[in-house]
Amino acid sequence: MAAPGFCRTLFSYTWFLVCWTFQVIILRILGVISPAKQRQILVRVAKATQFWDSPLQFDDYADTFLSLTAYLDVCWAVWHDVTSAVRVGSRAPSCDVIELETGTTRQLSEFENPGRPLVLNCGSCS
């Protein structure tokens, strides 16, 4: 028998998937019926996200919002968020870190030293 937490996780992900699929289908249909209205909605979404601050023009990436690749990427990201669990006292998951000076990618775990906790400061220093 599955654990209650797993059932809740599976339900949450399934519900998200149903809602996300419905929204994408509606926006795709709207693009056929009224491309101007679809663009207006996508611009509103872009303004509410990090995409609006991009140096690219909206028209350069607008068609990617409703692509199959974007749909699958969102589904994978949400699944990863829903299933990942960090517990107090456990090791932090390792993720990619991009060094600003060189642009090289390293694993977060590469910055650990024995006997010393890894403390992340995501703020800016002045």
Side-chain angles (χ1 to χ4, degrees):
M1 183 169 166
F6 175 77
C7 293
R8 196 172 326 118
T9 298
L10 187 60
F11 177 77
S12 297
Y13 181 71
T14 304
W15 180 248
F16 165 80
L17 194 59
V18 168
C19 293
W20 177 244
T21 303
F22 181 73
Q23 290 173 10
V24 169
I25 290 170
I26 294 298
L27 283 170
R28 297 289 277 184
I29 292 170
L30 188 60
V32 173
I33 297 170
S34 175
K37 186 65 174 174
Q38 180 197 46
R39 187 183 195 300
Q40 179 185 8
I41 292 170
L42 291 177
V43 165
R44 199 171 344 145
V45 169
K47 284 182 177 179
T49 66
Q50 65 189 7
F51 290 109
W52 197 252
D53 296 331
S54 170
L56 298 172
Q57 296 298 317
F58 177 74
D59 292 327
D60 293 338
Y61 61 86
D63 57 337
T64 64
F65 272 112
L66 302 176
S67 69
L68 178 62
T69 303
Y71 174 80
L72 295 175
D73 285 346
V74 168
C75 291
W76 174 252
V78 170
W79 175 252
H80 182 58
D81 286 348
V82 166
T83 58
S84 66
V86 178
R87 305 208 188 324
V88 174
S90 66
R91 291 179 53 88
S94 190
C95 60
D96 290 340
V97 176
I98 300 172
E99 293 188 36
L100 295 178
E101 295 82 24
T102 63
T104 57
T105 303
R106 295 174 58 187
Q107 289 290 311
L108 180 62
S109 58
E110 292 178 36
F111 295 96
E112 290 180 321
N113 286 325
R116 183 181 61 147
L118 179 62
V119 177
L120 299 178
N121 180 0
C122 298
S124 60
C125 299
S126 25

